[in-house]
Amino acid sequence: MQISRLSYLVKVVIDEVSPSGVGISYNDIPIDDRVNNLAEDCAKETLLASPLRYLPHEDIPGDIEIYGDGSGYVPLPSNFLRLFSFQMELWKRRVNDSITEDSESYLLQKNLVTRGGTNFPVCAVVNNEKGLILEWYSVPSYVRTPKCTEKRYVPIPTIEDSEINIPQGLEMLMVYITAKKVLMSLQQYDMAKAIEELILTEMKQLSV
């Protein structure tokens, strides 16, 4: 999506939620600059809020490492945004959502009885001395050489040649999210709240 198109659509949305009789002079407000500065963060927020089926994804590079107790990890690339899918050979299902080391569920993974297993596996994004890693729980401890059959992630969107790499089906959600952030930066809180309703409606439509 071209940043110029994003900026144009943001202005259209802002005009739609402006109170009757109130116009915004874009000559006085550098909307284009604000949109350009906010685009990458808004694209991240869009991808984090969207259903998996809309998201671009890539293979997680490298091999899995094992802890020796049936669990292990794989190093994550620097442009990791969120997990798309991960599955070990013996698992009955793939994992599409990850927990964090701050969650209560993470503590359960350190107990052999309460941690994830082949029926209900768990993945956790953890930041440690190795950097950002994805821990997986677990396979039976007697499996000496566990194999991973699928490991994919959603990369952080970037701007290249004045274009943000956001899927076409998510463009309007990103427009609404960007418009809201622009209005918040202008302290137009009532108008920003009106756009929240548009965001919720769009997210419901994407979930159908």
Side-chain angles (χ1 to χ4, degrees):
M1 184 181 193
Q2 290 289 332
I3 298 299
S4 58
R5 172 173 165 78
L6 173 63
S7 186
Y8 167 76
L9 290 174
V10 164
K11 293 173 185 176
V12 170
V13 170
I14 290 176
D15 285 340
E16 288 178 351
V17 299
S18 297
S20 178
V22 177
I24 294 179
S25 174
Y26 295 116
N27 293 325
D28 300 329
I29 302 174
I31 295 292
D32 294 337
D33 291 341
R34 291 175 187 262
V35 169
N36 189 66
N37 292 334
L38 291 167
E40 287 191 351
D41 284 342
C42 291
K44 288 181 187 179
E45 186 172 335
T46 300
L47 296 185
L48 289 172
S50 299
L52 282 175
R53 65 179 180 273
Y54 291 96
L55 305 184
H57 48 92
E58 302 174 4
D59 281 321
I60 297 175
D63 299 321
I64 61 169
E65 303 289 343
I66 57 175
Y67 288 138
D69 62 350
S71 65
Y73 70 93
V74 61
L76 291 172
S78 58
N79 67 337
F80 174 87
L81 179 65
R82 64 182 283 190
L83 180 66
F84 184 83
S85 61
F86 189 91
Q87 186 164 11
M88 298 297 290
E89 187 175 55
L90 297 178
W91 287 1
K92 300 295 192 299
R93 64 181 72 189
R94 67 170 58 90
V95 174
N96 299 114
D97 294 307
S98 56
I99 62 173
T100 66
E101 56 192 315
D102 298 325
S103 68
E104 294 182 5
S105 298
Y106 184 68
L107 294 177
L108 299 178
Q109 308 314 309
K110 299 307 177 181
N111 185 302
L112 294 178
V113 176
T114 59
R115 72 182 184 178
T118 54
N119 290 323
F120 299 100
V122 173
C123 289
V125 174
V126 177
N127 205 339
N128 65 9
E129 69 276 1
K130 298 179 178 64
L132 199 65
I133 63 173
L134 183 75
E135 292 184 335
W136 47 268
Y137 300 91
S138 61
V139 297
S141 58
Y142 60 76
V143 179
R144 298 304 178 190
T145 55
K147 295 180 181 179
C148 178
T149 59
E150 186 176 343
K151 50 183 175 68
R152 300 187 68 80
Y153 77 106
V154 178
I156 294 172
T158 56
I159 297 176
E160 296 181 10
D161 298 325
S162 300
E163 185 171 359
I164 188 78
N165 55 335
I166 199 81
Q168 185 174 1
L170 301 178
E171 285 185 355
M172 282 313 300
L173 178 59
M174 181 172 174
V175 169
Y176 294 143
I177 288 174
T178 307
K180 176 187 173 184
K181 288 188 177 294
V182 167
L183 289 171
M184 292 291 288
S185 73
L186 298 173
Q187 299 182 337
Q188 297 291 332
Y189 302 120
D190 289 341
M191 292 168 63
K193 188 172 182 60
I195 290 182
E196 284 183 9
E197 297 300 320
L198 297 176
I199 292 173
L200 292 174
T201 299
E202 185 69 15
M203 289 177 62
K204 288 179 180 178
Q205 292 177 348
L206 291 172
S207 299
V208 173

